[in-house]
Amino acid sequence: GRTSIRYQFTTTLRNTPETNDESPPVIEPKPVDDSATVPDITIEKNTPKKSMKSNHKRGIFTPVVMAAKNIMGENELKQFRAKIILKHTQVIKKFVDTNESKFGQSVLNNGFEAIDKNGDGVLDMYELDDALKSLGFSWLEKKQMEGILKKADKNKDGTIDIEEFKKAAPATLATNLVKLAKKNGDELGFLS
């Protein structure tokens, strides 16, 4: 059978100064009294509720994602989310593909100058590590950093000069910006 349930959604902030709790706000559905005049949404259920346990993090958008999962169904939500992730990945790659344009070359030149902390015209392992970590690429381990440096270092002097940087940076950025977007999406609760 088909049943309708009316809910009012209220937000509970747990990260108040008094509690010093850093948890994200929680949106809690509460059954609505039919005589009340408050905004509501109707969730119609056709199938029994399945367990929605996930390995993904709970974030500020988790309640919205869970409501969408209830309304759309888990498979339809997964398909929709996959389309969004694909489009986002395409936008990142198109942005990175601008590296050969005048604008892209300017961005790479300015980026190189910002990363070259000691101003010696080359990037060493410490500068590379600092730059990639400051971009949020926290998952890159020392061995991966060494691999990035080795692959970019065409003249094998142990550093990356501006020309090597301009050739290697786009691929490194494309790969890691997509990973960063997925990590951020998970932390915000979009993958719940």
Side-chain angles (χ1 to χ4, degrees), residues 31-162:
V32 174
D33 177 358
D34 281 347
S35 64
T37 57
V38 294
D40 66 337
I41 66 170
T42 300
I43 300 175
E44 296 189 359
K45 301 190 300 186
N46 290 325
T47 58
K49 194 172 182 181
K50 288 190 214 176
S51 171
M52 289 191 234
K53 292 190 178 191
S54 171
N55 291 332
H56 295 289
K57 296 178 182 176
R58 288 189 56 83
I60 193 163
F61 291 103
T62 298
V64 175
V65 172
M66 299 309 280
K69 195 178 284 188
N70 282 335
I71 294 166
M72 299 171 72
E74 190 165 352
N75 287 335
E76 189 174 337
L77 178 64
K78 281 182 182 179
Q79 290 172 1
F80 176 73
R81 188 168 30 211
K83 286 179 188 176
I84 298 300
I85 290 170
L86 176 63
K87 289 187 182 297
H88 192 251
T89 300
Q90 290 169 342
V91 167
I92 290 170
K93 291 188 187 249
K94 284 182 181 179
F95 169 73
V96 172
D97 286 346
T98 66
N99 70 81
E100 293 180 15
S101 70
K102 186 175 181 179
F103 171 75
Q105 289 296 299
S106 176
V107 169
L108 289 170
N109 285 327
N110 289 330
F112 184 87
E113 288 177 25
I115 296 167
D116 185 15
K117 300 287 187 201
N118 63 9
D120 64 357
V122 294
L123 306 179
D124 60 27
M125 176 58 82
Y126 301 105
E127 292 167 321
L128 180 65
D129 180 69
D130 186 51
L132 293 172
K133 296 287 167 115
S134 71
L135 287 172
F137 304 159
S138 57
W139 54 86
L140 292 173
E141 302 287 332
K142 183 180 178 184
K143 187 173 185 172
Q144 292 166 303
M145 294 283 189
E146 289 169 348
I148 291 169
L149 180 77
K150 184 177 179 180
K151 187 174 181 180
D153 182 20
K154 298 301 182 190
N155 65 5
K156 309 294 180 212
D157 66 355
T159 62
I160 301 173
D161 64 35
I162 183 69

